[in-house]
Amino acid sequence: MLPDIAYKTEEKIKKTIEEKGLIARDQHIVIGLSGGPDSVCLFNVLLTLKDEMNLKIHPVHVNHKFRPQAAEADQEYVEQLCRKHGLECASFVIDCNLLADELKMTSEEAGRKARYDAFYSVANKLLEDIPGLSKDGIRIAVAQNANDQAETVLFRLLRGTGTDGLAGIAYEREERGFKVIRPILDIYRSEIEEYCESCELAPRIDHTNSYTIYTRNKIRHELIPLLEKEHNSNIMQSLVRLSNIAADDKDYLWQQTEKAYRELANEAISDDMPKEVLMDRLQLAKLHPAVRHRVLFKAFSRIGLDSDISEERIKAADSIIEKKQGPKTVQFPRGYELSVAKGTVSIKRT
């Protein structure tokens, strides 16, 4: 019988899975299993659901080669844990420092890329090997928790973010056609540690998480404790609550955006891809700015520009859409532009 603390944590996670519709019966779950407390906790809870929901669990471990010897010990721990439960672990060994140099990105970005490339590789292999399986029959489960949510919101606030950014980490999102889910997003790190201890799981501990040379770790180990001590002892819960409120607002605004886009946008298709988006200037100008700006983001995203759109460019676009001033063309990054002529707004790549 489970200790009381472990039972409560499992029930809380199962409630999140049910309320958010994260997992359905008979699905294949590709789980990122680092060997740390978060992923081991998630792995153990999924094992309890395995028979009840007829789930097929596919653990994936990535050895980033960041920590010689410790990384290999993590890999051995995970593989042994999987064997204990009769599961085969798909292990990937990737030199992420080398990958970072090759792709001109930070080691953290390279690590994330390596992990998700591994997840999608396993998911696509399942599609090849299992007749009749579709992408909807697969979920990619990662183990971000409530502390990660709070830290993400604070990190974005410090860097400067719009209201959508305050929504933080989503319970579910779609990438490369697969749904990525976060079943333990409502669980705090302290609950995870207590769960692992009470279930005698003995997860691996990555001691680099305590190094304050990384911005995220500085937020975790320096800024949040300071805010808890000097300003709000419940700062973590406050940030999570803010993210939940912002997520609801974001969801509503994007519902309105999708409706407006369907009514206004005329996509010029070439080679099965939108190459230009045309909209009536007057109708676009009548939209509330919160919706109009999202319509513009969506239009640019549809033709290939889904990042690096600054507030300054959007304000310049507003000016010509509302006919407050010239010129009639605004340049966006990477050769994209928005122009107004004869009552029509055109968004395209030049």
Side-chain angles (χ1 to χ4, degrees):
M1 185 174 177
L2 274 179
D4 191 48
I5 180 65
Y7 175 78
K8 288 180 179 178
T9 300
E10 283 193 4
E11 288 302 303
K12 192 172 174 182
I13 294 169
K14 290 175 182 178
K15 182 180 178 183
T16 297
I17 290 172
E18 182 179 354
E19 289 185 347
K20 303 298 180 181
L22 301 182
I23 298 174
R25 286 187 59 82
D26 305 321
Q27 286 184 324
H28 291 257
I29 312 298
V30 176
I31 173 176
L33 188 54
S34 69
D38 300 347
S39 66
V40 169
C41 168
L42 175 57
F43 179 63
N44 205 61
V45 173
L46 289 177
L47 289 174
T48 69
L49 291 172
K50 181 173 175 287
D51 292 335
E52 177 186 336
M53 299 184 69
N54 192 34
L55 304 177
K56 309 296 187 297
I57 299 176
H58 307 274
V60 179
H61 177 78
V62 177
N63 177 347
H64 304 86
K65 300 196 73 173
F66 284 144
R67 299 172 296 124
Q69 296 184 329
E72 284 65 43
D74 290 350
Q75 182 177 339
E76 175 57 31
Y77 166 84
V78 168
E79 290 172 350
Q80 186 174 344
L81 178 64
C82 292
R83 285 194 297 270
K84 175 183 174 182
H85 293 284
L87 298 172
E88 182 180 352
C89 179
S91 293
F92 295 77
V93 180
I94 302 168
D95 189 334
C96 289
N97 283 322
L98 181 61
L99 183 65
D101 289 340
E102 289 176 350
L103 299 180
K104 303 292 187 281
M105 58 175 56
T106 68
S107 58
E108 287 177 288
E109 290 169 334
R112 185 186 186 282
K113 174 175 170 52
R115 287 192 299 278
Y116 279 87
D117 283 350
F119 302 155
Y120 297 126
S121 172
V122 170
N124 280 309
K125 186 71 164 54
L126 291 174
L127 291 176
E128 293 175 9
D129 294 346
I130 303 174
L133 181 64
S134 68
K135 287 186 174 181
D136 193 52
I138 299 172
R139 294 291 183 269
I140 296 172
V142 292
Q144 283 145 316
N145 60 49
N147 289 62
D148 294 322
Q149 181 72 288
E151 291 160 8
T152 295
V153 171
L154 189 52
F155 179 75
R156 290 180 180 178
L157 276 170
L158 294 173
R159 294 185 65 183
T161 185
T163 52
D164 280 4
L166 294 178
I169 305 166
Y171 289 94
E172 177 183 295
R173 67 179 172 81
E174 188 167 312
E175 189 172 315
R176 304 191 206 180
F178 293 101
K179 288 184 178 177
V180 179
I181 61 172
R182 298 176 172 87
I184 65 169
L185 200 56
D186 290 328
I187 307 299
Y188 287 91
R189 192 168 291 125
S190 59
E191 296 174 282
I192 290 168
E193 290 169 354
E194 288 175 346
Y195 178 84
C196 290
E197 183 177 355
S198 65
C199 293
E200 300 180 349
L201 298 176
R204 298 282 297 174
I205 303 299
D206 182 353
H207 294 288
T208 62
N209 286 332
S210 64
Y211 298 169
T212 55
I213 58 173
Y214 304 112
T215 302
R216 287 267 184 177
N217 289 355
K218 286 183 180 179
I219 290 172
R220 178 179 301 174
H221 298 296
E222 295 179 357
L223 181 54
I224 286 179
L226 176 65
L227 292 172
E228 287 175 331
K229 180 181 177 182
E230 301 291 340
H231 300 283
N232 180 355
S233 60
N234 295 314
I235 187 65
M236 301 293 285
Q237 291 82 354
S238 297
L239 289 167
V240 169
R241 186 165 58 250
L242 172 62
S243 75
N244 290 333
I245 294 169
D248 285 343
D249 290 351
K250 176 183 176 182
D251 183 58
Y252 174 75
L253 285 168
W254 276 101
Q255 285 180 26
Q256 299 306 304
T257 297
E258 294 293 339
K259 180 174 180 290
Y261 190 85
R262 287 194 300 270
E263 292 173 352
L264 291 180
N266 179 20
E267 296 182 344
I269 306 294
S270 176
D271 298 326
D272 296 325
M273 288 288 292
K275 299 298 181 183
E276 182 180 15
V277 178
L278 302 172
M279 288 179 277
D280 181 84
R281 184 193 69 79
L282 280 175
Q283 294 302 313
L284 188 58
K286 288 178 182 177
L287 295 177
H288 189 284
V291 176
R292 181 169 67 244
H293 296 165
R294 287 169 171 80
V295 167
L296 296 180
F297 286 132
K298 181 175 176 65
F300 276 110
S301 177
R302 291 285 294 160
I303 61 172
L305 181 64
D306 57 5
S307 62
D308 302 325
I309 300 178
S310 67
E311 181 186 8
E312 181 183 3
R313 305 288 176 108
I314 291 295
K315 283 185 175 179
D318 272 343
S319 294
I320 63 172
I321 290 169
E322 296 174 351
K323 278 209 163 177
K324 290 182 178 177
Q325 65 178 46
K328 297 196 175 180
T329 298
V330 176
Q331 300 298 327
F332 281 74
R334 303 200 290 276
Y336 291 86
E337 70 173 26
L338 180 150
S339 61
V340 175
K342 297 180 180 179
T344 299
V345 176
S346 166
I347 297 172
K348 63 184 179 180
R349 185 170 187 175
T350 57

